[in-house]
Amino acid sequence: MSDPSEDTQAPSGKSAGAGQPKVGALVRARRRQMHMTLQTLSDAAGVSVGYLSQIERDLAMPSLGTLAQIAQGLGAELNHFILAPAIDTGLSRAEGRMVFSVGGSPVSYERIGADFAGNQLSSFVITIPPGHRSEVFSHEGEELVYMLEGEILFGLDGDDTMLSPGDGLHFRGIQPHYWWNKTDAPVRLIWTGTLPLFRPRASQSNETGQPQSALKPAPTKTKPHRK
């Protein structure tokens, strides 16, 4: 998913997370609290050491999906790093949804997926500003993208495809993918996937204080996609 400057807000929405500490500082503090090196976290989260270092120094802003991988590698919930609205009833109104972003990223999110026992999906309306290009993602689960407004170049497993309003793309998350808004207009799309984002998970810590995810095979590692 996504690098979710200033938050992009829908006219009727309200921003969330004002005044919150920067993501990089929170990631670094949590990593040190867990007595993990950058390499250990890299192995656990499937994110390169160099990119983690950039994130911790606030030189790069991860997407929501990448931050979820980092949170899982640190044995923490995503809500530890960002303030995002919860949806408990399953019903969200366009005029009442909160709009949030990851740190200072220009990509904004509106959460439309709810939390309930056994749910498997996370879903967001994502607004991507002109010129924005994400890092390359690769992770567990599957994703579905449906275009609402604008056009975006979507790279999937080495192939680039332009997506326009009404187009949809369903794929395995393990396939390396990224997006790039090469136009001068914002893009809005619906993203739905099985990557755990805000869903509660069982405790990931063992008696050593290290996250359980650090003891499992690491996901496919990817590096930031650069121009």
Side-chain angles (χ1 to χ4, degrees):
M1 293 167 43
S2 53
D3 276 19
S5 31
E6 299 295 325
D7 293 358
T8 302
Q9 298 186 26
S12 58
K14 299 179 180 180
S15 63
Q20 187 180 15
K22 290 186 176 181
V23 168
L26 293 173
V27 170
R28 182 172 59 250
R30 176 70 179 185
R31 177 176 63 80
R32 290 176 175 175
Q33 179 186 17
M34 299 297 292
H35 304 291
M36 298 175 72
T37 65
L38 281 170
Q39 184 63 62
T40 304
L41 179 55
S42 172
D43 293 340
V47 179
S48 72
V49 170
Y51 194 46
L52 284 173
S53 177
Q54 291 182 48
I55 290 170
E56 289 195 357
R57 290 178 291 150
D58 290 308
L59 299 179
M61 190 56 59
S63 68
L64 196 59
T66 297
L67 186 58
Q69 292 176 243
I70 294 171
Q72 190 168 18
L74 290 168
E77 297 296 330
L78 190 53
N79 285 332
H80 178 82
F81 302 101
I82 60 173
L83 298 176
I87 299 178
D88 298 320
T89 66
L91 174 65
S92 66
R93 302 287 189 183
E95 65 275 9
R97 280 196 297 267
M98 298 285 286
V99 179
F100 69 98
S101 67
V102 178
S105 170
V107 176
S108 65
Y109 301 85
E110 299 173 51
R111 187 179 181 188
I112 55 177
D115 280 334
F116 52 82
N119 76 304
Q120 296 296 313
L121 297 176
S122 297
S123 191
F124 300 86
V125 176
I126 303 178
T127 301
I128 304 167
H132 182 80
R133 185 174 187 169
S134 75
E135 76 265 37
V136 177
F137 313 111
S138 182
H139 50 74
E140 64 183 53
E142 57 185 296
E143 301 184 34
L144 191 151
V145 172
Y146 180 81
M147 294 290 294
L148 297 175
E149 300 174 12
E151 294 185 333
I152 199 164
L153 184 147
F154 201 98
L156 179 63
D157 223 1
D159 294 325
D160 290 343
T161 304
M162 289 299 298
L163 300 180
S164 301
D167 291 345
L169 184 62
H170 185 197
F171 55 95
R172 293 184 177 90
I174 197 66
Q175 296 175 269
H177 53 284
Y178 73 98
W179 54 41
W180 184 5
N181 182 358
K182 301 179 70 173
T183 73
D184 58 2
V187 167
R188 294 184 75 243
L189 57 84
I190 295 175
W191 178 92
T192 300
T194 56
L195 176 68
L197 294 178
F198 296 98
R199 300 200 300 277
R201 295 187 293 271
S203 174
Q204 295 177 308
S205 297
N206 59 19
E207 63 274 9
T208 67
Q210 296 294 327
Q212 291 284 4
S213 56
L215 306 179
K216 299 177 182 178
T220 302
K221 298 181 183 179
T222 59
K223 298 181 179 179
H225 193 96
R226 304 188 185 280
K227 297 182 182 179

